[in-house]
Amino acid sequence: MVAVAILAGVLAGISNTGLLILINSALSRVGSPTSALIWSFAALCLAMLVCRGAASVLLILLARGAVFDLRMKLSRKILGAPLRHLEEVGAPRLLATLTDDVLSIANALVTLPVLCMHFAVVLTCLVYLAWLSWPVFFGVLGFMVFGVVSYQIPLTRAMRYINRCRQEWDKLFKHFGALTTGAKELKLHHARRESFLNEQLEPTAQAFRHYGNVGDIIFSIAASWGQLLVFALIGLLIFLVPTLINTNATTITGYSLVILYIMTPLEVILNTLPVLGRANVAMQQVESLGLSLEKNSSEALALTTPVREVGSYDSLVLSGVTHAYHGDRDNHFMLGPIDLEFSPGQLIFLVGGNGSGKTTLAKLITGLYVPESGEIRLNGKTVDDQNREQYRQLFSVVFSDFYLFESLLGLHTPKLDEQARNYLLQLHLDHKVEVENGVLSTTALSQGQRKRLALLTAYLEDRPFYVFDEWAADQDPVFKEIFYLQLLPELKAKGKTILVISHDDRYYHVADFVVKLDYGKITSLEDRNHPQLLTVNL
């Protein structure tokens, strides 16, 4: 589509130049125009109309299609990258790329056919000028080379500022995220709000404005310089060329008319360069992100391969599994080596202090993190890049920082709405939420009620292994007791494996095993079913 749009634009540009040549010929001739000249003029007008119209229609289709394609490809790459790498890249950069960078690239893509049309006008006009007079043409060409070089110098400098502006946009996007998600905290603390506005948001916004302004000002000055060069060239043709070269008035008039005519195409080209410059910076960001994601995209192939739900399993073993967070020397954290074994029908509590590695271990168990050493074996088979996507279908998880979708995506079981309503009744949400065609009537609930909705989704998934990360932390005492003493035993009775990350020590007695973590190491494993082996130090 881009190629056809460019071709249509080039043909429209050639038609424009053809019309200019016919007009110049008609003005230079003596007597009435011939019928051939009239028909040629009409044919070029029609060709220009058709070509410009075709280019415009293709541009409309191209603009929307480019944005769609880029966003979908990037979205798939993001989902194909490991979770740990996405956490390192950060949500602000991902969102900035999916929004601002994609639009900048699409805008530049749309301008390409227009740019090519005007380039065609300029090139064909130069050919016509060479046909009028070779000596004058070489002089004009030398002047244009000087103009391009003198324009390129400030253009290069402007690109540096545009690049800095784009880097500040990532920071600004991060501050916008803090502004929206931390609005309550900022409203409740005047000094914090003013400090955030004056020391973080405003300096970044000012830097973004400064670099953007400087880059645009340089572009504007360069464009004005380009227009001045055009008039300077006309002045040289009118006042200097006749004194140096023996030319007739028709040649000088033709040159002046053509150069005046190409002023508009040149202005369009100069004004398009900032758009292309921003697109170039955006493309570098997208390529950097894309290559970064591809480099770590061990899961991309698996995402394109159909997977099936895992109905059951016999054993899940973690053998010498480790995972590290590499930061400053004071922030280095190593989880493991971890040796654990899970079987169907077990209820395990994972306990320990904040920062002991409980959630990290849960991400390793569920396949969201890849072990740096050791291995995970499901039914005796090692989990690797080839089967990790299939392995993840074993788990239903509610993390402490869960995301709640507004519909029951990916669930296509018979009588889905009826099952959901039964669970809503069991979770004491039937008076708050309704389900129709798999869509929840609302998710605007308290945090505890939202967690119950997340539990509803986990119930409907009906997978062999459940993981609950501090699920009961936001529940009232009544429902907390229901969760530990009713819901968990019911899941266990169905043969499910349940891993519960919890600080509620008063309910530890319902567990089969209590695994304690301390700074990334398992310090004890308590077997609640065999009091004689109450604590096994590891």
Coordinates of all heavy atoms in Angstrom, one line a residue, residues 407-442:
S407 N -14.5 -8.6 32.2 CA -15.2 -9.8 31.6 C -14.4 -11.0 31.9 O -13.2 -11.0 32.1 CB -15.5 -9.6 30.1 OG -14.3 -9.4 29.4
L408 N -15.1 -12.1 31.8 CA -14.5 -13.4 32.0 C -13.8 -13.9 30.8 O -14.2 -14.9 30.1 CB -15.6 -14.4 32.5 CG -16.3 -14.0 33.7 CD1 -17.5 -14.9 34.1 CD2 -15.4 -13.8 34.9
L409 N -12.7 -13.3 30.4 CA -12.0 -13.6 29.2 C -11.4 -15.0 29.2 O -10.9 -15.5 30.2 CB -10.9 -12.6 29.0 CG -11.3 -11.1 28.8 CD1 -10.0 -10.2 28.8 CD2 -12.1 -10.9 27.6
G410 N -11.5 -15.6 28.0 CA -10.9 -16.9 27.8 C -11.6 -18.1 28.5 O -11.2 -19.2 28.4
L411 N -12.8 -17.8 29.1 CA -13.6 -18.9 29.7 C -14.8 -19.2 28.8 O -15.7 -18.3 28.6 CB -14.0 -18.5 31.1 CG -12.9 -18.2 32.1 CD1 -13.4 -17.7 33.4 CD2 -12.0 -19.4 32.3
H412 N -14.9 -20.3 28.3 CA -16.0 -20.7 27.3 C -16.7 -21.9 27.8 O -17.1 -22.7 26.9 CB -15.4 -20.9 25.9 CG -14.6 -19.7 25.5 ND1 -15.1 -18.4 25.2 CD2 -13.2 -19.6 25.3 CE1 -14.2 -17.6 24.8 NE2 -13.0 -18.3 24.8
T413 N -16.8 -22.1 29.1 CA -17.4 -23.3 29.6 C -18.9 -23.2 29.4 O -19.5 -22.1 29.4 CB -17.1 -23.6 31.1 OG1 -17.5 -22.4 31.8 CG2 -15.6 -23.8 31.2
P414 N -19.6 -24.4 29.3 CA -21.1 -24.3 29.2 C -21.7 -23.7 30.5 O -21.2 -23.9 31.6 CB -21.5 -25.8 29.0 CG -20.3 -26.4 28.5 CD -19.1 -25.7 29.1
K415 N -22.8 -23.0 30.3 CA -23.5 -22.4 31.5 C -22.5 -21.5 32.3 O -22.5 -21.6 33.6 CB -24.1 -23.5 32.4 CG -25.2 -24.3 31.6 CD -25.8 -25.4 32.5 CE -26.8 -26.2 31.8 NZ -27.4 -27.2 32.7
L416 N -21.7 -20.7 31.7 CA -20.7 -19.9 32.4 C -21.4 -18.9 33.3 O -21.0 -18.8 34.5 CB -19.8 -19.2 31.3 CG -18.8 -18.2 31.9 CD1 -17.8 -19.0 32.8 CD2 -18.1 -17.4 30.8
D417 N -22.4 -18.2 32.8 CA -23.1 -17.3 33.6 C -23.7 -17.9 34.9 O -23.7 -17.3 36.0 CB -24.2 -16.6 32.8 CG -23.6 -15.6 31.8 OD1 -22.4 -15.4 31.8 OD2 -24.4 -15.0 31.0
E418 N -24.3 -19.1 34.7 CA -24.9 -19.7 35.9 C -23.9 -20.1 36.9 O -24.1 -19.9 38.1 CB -25.7 -21.0 35.4 CG -26.4 -21.7 36.5 CD -27.1 -23.0 35.9 OE1 -27.3 -23.0 34.7 OE2 -27.5 -23.8 36.8
Q419 N -22.7 -20.7 36.4 CA -21.7 -21.0 37.4 C -21.1 -19.7 38.1 O -20.9 -19.8 39.3 CB -20.5 -21.7 36.6 CG -20.8 -23.0 36.1 CD -19.7 -23.6 35.3 OE1 -18.7 -22.9 35.0 NE2 -19.8 -24.9 35.0
A420 N -21.0 -18.7 37.3 CA -20.5 -17.4 37.9 C -21.5 -16.9 39.0 O -21.0 -16.4 40.1 CB -20.3 -16.4 36.9
R421 N -22.8 -17.0 38.7 CA -23.7 -16.5 39.7 C -23.7 -17.3 41.0 O -23.9 -16.8 42.1 CB -25.1 -16.5 39.1 CG -25.3 -15.5 37.9 CD -26.7 -15.5 37.4 NE -26.9 -14.7 36.2 CZ -27.0 -15.2 35.0 NH1 -27.1 -16.5 34.8 NH2 -27.1 -14.4 34.0
N422 N -23.5 -18.6 40.8 CA -23.4 -19.5 42.0 C -22.2 -19.1 42.9 O -22.3 -19.1 44.1 CB -23.3 -21.0 41.6 CG -24.6 -21.5 41.0 OD1 -25.7 -21.0 41.3 ND2 -24.5 -22.5 40.2
Y423 N -21.1 -18.8 42.2 CA -19.9 -18.4 43.0 C -20.1 -17.0 43.6 O -19.6 -16.8 44.7 CB -18.7 -18.5 42.0 CG -18.1 -19.9 41.8 CD1 -17.9 -20.3 40.5 CD2 -17.8 -20.7 42.8 CE1 -17.4 -21.6 40.2 CE2 -17.4 -22.0 42.6 CZ -17.1 -22.4 41.3 OH -16.7 -23.7 41.1
L424 N -20.7 -16.1 42.9 CA -21.0 -14.8 43.4 C -21.8 -14.9 44.7 O -21.6 -14.2 45.7 CB -21.7 -14.0 42.4 CG -20.9 -13.4 41.2 CD1 -21.8 -12.7 40.2 CD2 -19.8 -12.5 41.7
L425 N -22.8 -15.9 44.7 CA -23.6 -16.1 45.9 C -22.7 -16.6 47.0 O -22.8 -16.2 48.2 CB -24.7 -17.1 45.6 CG -25.6 -17.4 46.7 CD1 -26.4 -16.2 47.2 CD2 -26.6 -18.5 46.3
Q426 N -21.8 -17.5 46.7 CA -20.9 -18.1 47.7 C -19.9 -17.1 48.3 O -19.5 -17.1 49.4 CB -20.2 -19.3 47.1 CG -19.3 -20.1 48.1 CD -18.6 -21.3 47.4 OE1 -18.8 -21.5 46.2 NE2 -17.9 -22.1 48.2
L427 N -19.5 -16.2 47.4 CA -18.6 -15.1 47.8 C -19.2 -13.9 48.3 O -18.6 -12.9 48.6 CB -17.7 -14.8 46.6 CG -16.8 -15.9 46.0 CD1 -16.2 -15.5 44.7 CD2 -15.7 -16.3 47.0
H428 N -20.5 -13.9 48.5 CA -21.3 -12.8 49.1 C -21.2 -11.6 48.2 O -21.1 -10.4 48.8 CB -20.8 -12.5 50.5 CG -21.0 -13.6 51.5 ND1 -20.7 -13.5 52.8 CD2 -21.4 -14.9 51.3 CE1 -20.9 -14.7 53.4 NE2 -21.3 -15.6 52.5
L429 N -21.2 -11.8 46.9 CA -21.2 -10.6 46.0 C -22.4 -10.6 45.1 O -22.5 -9.7 44.2 CB -19.9 -10.7 45.1 CG -18.6 -10.5 45.8 CD1 -17.4 -10.8 44.8 CD2 -18.5 -9.1 46.3
D430 N -23.4 -11.5 45.3 CA -24.5 -11.5 44.4 C -25.4 -10.2 44.5 O -26.1 -9.9 43.5 CB -25.4 -12.7 44.8 CG -25.8 -12.7 46.2 OD1 -24.9 -12.7 47.1 OD2 -27.0 -12.7 46.5
H431 N -25.3 -9.5 45.6 CA -26.0 -8.2 45.7 C -25.3 -7.0 45.1 O -25.8 -5.9 45.1 CB -26.4 -8.0 47.2 CG -25.1 -7.8 48.1 ND1 -24.3 -8.8 48.3 CD2 -24.7 -6.7 48.7 CE1 -23.3 -8.4 49.1 NE2 -23.5 -7.1 49.3
K432 N -24.0 -7.3 44.7 CA -23.2 -6.2 44.2 C -22.9 -6.3 42.7 O -22.8 -5.3 42.0 CB -21.8 -6.2 44.9 CG -21.9 -5.8 46.4 CD -21.9 -4.3 46.5 CE -21.7 -3.8 47.9 NZ -21.6 -2.4 48.1
V433 N -22.8 -7.6 42.2 CA -22.3 -7.8 40.9 C -23.2 -8.8 40.2 O -23.7 -9.8 40.8 CB -20.8 -8.4 40.9 CG1 -20.4 -8.5 39.4 CG2 -19.9 -7.4 41.6
E434 N -23.5 -8.5 38.9 CA -24.2 -9.4 38.1 C -23.4 -9.8 36.9 O -22.4 -9.1 36.5 CB -25.5 -8.8 37.6 CG -26.5 -8.4 38.7 CD -27.8 -7.7 38.1 OE1 -27.8 -7.5 36.9 OE2 -28.7 -7.5 38.9
V435 N -23.7 -11.0 36.3 CA -23.0 -11.5 35.1 C -23.9 -11.7 34.0 O -25.0 -12.4 34.2 CB -22.2 -12.8 35.5 CG1 -21.5 -13.3 34.2 CG2 -21.3 -12.6 36.6
E436 N -23.6 -11.2 32.8 CA -24.4 -11.3 31.6 C -23.5 -11.6 30.5 O -22.7 -10.7 30.1 CB -25.3 -10.1 31.4 CG -26.4 -10.3 30.3 CD -27.5 -11.3 30.8 OE1 -27.8 -11.3 32.0 OE2 -27.9 -12.0 29.9
N437 N -23.6 -12.7 29.9 CA -22.8 -13.1 28.7 C -21.3 -13.0 29.0 O -20.5 -12.5 28.2 CB -23.1 -12.2 27.5 CG -24.5 -12.5 27.0 OD1 -25.0 -13.6 27.0 ND2 -25.2 -11.4 26.6
G438 N -21.0 -13.4 30.3 CA -19.6 -13.4 30.7 C -19.0 -12.0 31.0 O -17.8 -11.9 31.3
V439 N -19.9 -11.0 31.1 CA -19.4 -9.6 31.4 C -19.9 -9.2 32.8 O -21.1 -9.4 33.1 CB -19.9 -8.6 30.4 CG1 -19.5 -7.2 30.7 CG2 -19.5 -9.0 29.0
L440 N -19.0 -8.7 33.6 CA -19.3 -8.3 35.0 C -20.0 -6.9 34.9 O -19.5 -6.1 34.2 CB -18.1 -8.3 35.9 CG -17.3 -9.6 36.0 CD1 -16.0 -9.3 36.7 CD2 -18.1 -10.6 36.7
S441 N -21.0 -6.8 35.7 CA -21.7 -5.5 35.7 C -20.9 -4.3 36.3 O -21.1 -3.2 35.8 CB -23.0 -5.6 36.5 OG -22.8 -6.0 37.9
T442 N -20.0 -4.6 37.2 CA -19.1 -3.6 37.7 C -17.9 -4.2 38.4 O -17.9 -5.4 38.8 CB -19.9 -2.8 38.8 OG1 -19.0 -1.7 39.3 CG2 -20.3 -3.6 40.0

